[in-house]
Amino acid sequence: MLRAVWNGAVIAEAPRTVIVEGNHYFPPESLDRQYLTPSRTRSLCLWKGVARYYSLDVDGLTNPDAAWYYPKPSPLARKIKDHVAFWQGVRVEGTPEPDEPGASEERPKGVGGG
């Protein structure tokens, strides 16, 4: 099982994730939404599309814009639609479950990062 952990709280937990550019994207149903607050922040990736962000709130501490997702990704990134990735001190721990195919790497051939 893979877990995204910050400030002692498990923010997301899933048997597998989709890995894009080294980031684990957790499926939307794996999130513990009590810790997520929508943010107004947006960013643009030339091949994935427009990212939206969440801030994390755990035990009175806030980690602004520590999670992001693509609600309307480009066709090249469709497998991460609404999946959430983390940064800014959020640790991804654990390993995929043995009976699962594991984490899969997604990136179109010939496309740079973003």
Side-chain angles (χ1 to χ4, degrees):
M1 189 66 72
L2 294 162
R3 292 170 197 83
V5 178
W6 183 72
N7 196 33
V10 176
I11 309 299
E13 186 171 41
R16 62 187 168 116
T17 60
V18 178
I19 300 174
V20 177
E21 299 174 340
N23 296 302
H24 286 267
Y25 283 80
F26 285 79
E29 65 275 7
S30 72
L31 302 171
D32 190 337
R33 294 195 179 267
Q34 71 174 323
Y35 301 119
L36 304 175
T37 302
S39 168
R40 299 176 142 234
T41 301
R42 307 284 186 272
S43 65
L44 174 65
C45 170
L46 294 179
W47 76 269
K48 290 185 295 255
V50 176
R52 299 185 67 177
Y53 290 77
Y54 291 113
S55 293
L56 303 180
D57 295 300
V58 176
D59 292 333
L61 295 177
T62 299
N63 190 346
D65 300 333
W68 74 93
Y69 67 101
Y70 294 88
K72 296 178 183 176
S74 74
L76 295 172
R78 66 187 171 277
K79 288 189 178 185
I80 60 167
K81 180 180 181 0
D82 293 328
H83 285 52
V84 177
F86 301 93
W87 67 331
Q88 298 187 162
V90 178
R91 293 184 327 274
V92 174
E93 304 173 342
T95 56
E97 291 186 357
D99 60 330
E100 295 289 336
S104 62
E105 180 74 37
E106 288 292 318
R107 185 176 189 154
K109 291 183 191 260
V111 175

